[in-house]
Amino acid sequence: MTKTFGSHTAVRDLSLEVPEGSLYGFIGPNGSGKTTTIRMLLHILTPDTGEVSVLGQSGTRAANDRIGYLPEERGLYKKMTVGRLLAYYGSLKGMPMRSARHEADRWLERFDLTEWKGAKIEALSKGMSQKIQFISTVISGPDLIILDEPFSGLDPVNHDVLRSAILDLVKGGTTVVLSTHDMTVAEQLCDNVIMIFKGDKVLDGPM
C-alpha cells in the first residue's frame, strides 16, 4: 500500500504480513511512516493504492471490535474515575458491563492499582495513567493488539510491568504489533520485525 499527503509520500509500496500469535516489531525512526501505516490498518486512513486485510476482513471497520489500539498520543477522560472509565471502554467493544467491570478489577489488581479504582484520572501519576491506558486497550480481550510506543516515558519498574503483561498476552495467543523507534526493545521482545525508513521497507523477517 502507498499513502501520500500532498507531495510527501509517507508510505511507499509497503507490503507486510503479521504472523498470527506473534509479537511483531514495527521499527524505524520517528517520521518513518509507522503511525501512518497503523492508521491504515485500522481504517482511520485509506491507502491511495493497495489493500488492507485485518483478521480476514478487507475494506471495513467491522474487525475493529477485535482490535485493541494504544495510540502514541495518549488520551483519557480526566474527570472520570478509573473503574468507570475502564468499564466504559470495555462496553464500547461490546462487553457486557458486568464482564467489563470484572476484567477491570483483574487488571487493576495485576498492576497494583486496585486502591485507585475510585480515583479520577486527573489524580493519577503519568506512569499510572499509562498503565490505565494500556488496560483500556486490552480489557475486551482483542485478537490483535497494536501498541504505538507503549514504553514512552515509563520508569524502569513500570516498563518491566508492562513488558511482562505484553508477553503474557502473546503466550495466551494474542497477536501483538509493537511500534517502536527503540531497537533494543524490539530485540528483547519481538519474534519478527519490519523496519521502514522514509516510507520504504528496508527489512522484514524473524529476529
Side-chain angles (χ1 to χ4, degrees):
M1 54 191 178
T2 293
K3 184 65 180 177
T4 59
F5 298 98
S7 61
H8 173 65
T9 301
V11 176
R12 182 183 296 102
D13 296 328
L14 177 66
S15 296
L16 63 90
E17 183 173 353
V18 179
E20 187 175 358
S22 69
L23 209 171
Y24 187 86
F26 195 27
I27 57 180
N30 292 329
S32 59
K34 301 189 302 296
T35 298
T36 297
T37 301
I38 288 171
R39 288 173 177 166
M40 287 191 284
L41 297 179
L42 293 166
H43 304 291
I44 295 170
L45 295 174
T46 302
D48 300 334
T49 60
E51 183 179 272
V52 179
S53 176
V54 181
L55 299 173
Q57 299 186 44
S58 303
T60 175
R61 298 190 182 192
N64 281 11
D65 279 352
R66 298 166 58 201
I67 301 173
Y69 173 44
L70 178 68
E72 185 176 8
E73 302 86 4
R74 311 291 191 247
L76 297 169
Y77 298 106
K78 296 185 181 298
K79 298 296 182 182
M80 291 180 75
T81 64
V82 169
R84 186 180 172 204
L85 177 129
L86 293 176
Y88 171 67
Y89 272 88
S91 69
L92 286 178
K93 292 291 187 178
M95 296 181 77
M97 191 58 74
R98 178 177 292 183
S99 298
R101 290 188 183 117
H102 175 76
E103 276 300 290
D105 289 344
R106 186 177 71 84
W107 278 104
L108 288 171
E109 183 176 1
R110 170 163 188 165
F111 284 172
D112 198 25
L113 291 172
T114 301
E115 65 183 279
W116 293 88
K117 180 180 176 180
K120 290 185 177 181
I121 297 297
E122 63 186 359
L124 304 181
S125 68
K126 182 179 180 180
M128 289 179 185
S129 294
Q130 288 194 223
K131 286 192 284 188
I132 296 301
Q133 184 106 41
F134 177 80
I135 296 172
S136 74
T137 302
V138 304
I139 189 170
S140 63
D143 299 318
L144 169 65
I145 296 172
I146 300 175
L147 306 174
D148 197 352
E149 301 288 358
F151 302 111
S152 176
L154 284 180
D155 61 73
V157 172
N158 282 321
H159 183 288
D160 288 347
V161 168
L162 202 60
R163 177 180 183 273
S164 175
I166 292 169
L167 290 174
D168 283 350
L169 288 167
V170 175
K171 287 177 185 176
T174 304
T175 304
V176 176
V177 174
L178 173 65
S179 174
T180 180
H181 64 272
D182 189 333
M183 184 71 81
T184 302
V185 169
E187 289 177 342
Q188 291 175 347
L189 289 178
C190 297
D191 307 309
N192 301 270
V193 293
I194 181 173
M195 177 186 285
I196 63 174
F197 179 65
K198 294 184 178 179
D200 292 311
K201 180 168 69 174
V202 294
L203 61 85
D204 185 9
M207 181 58 70

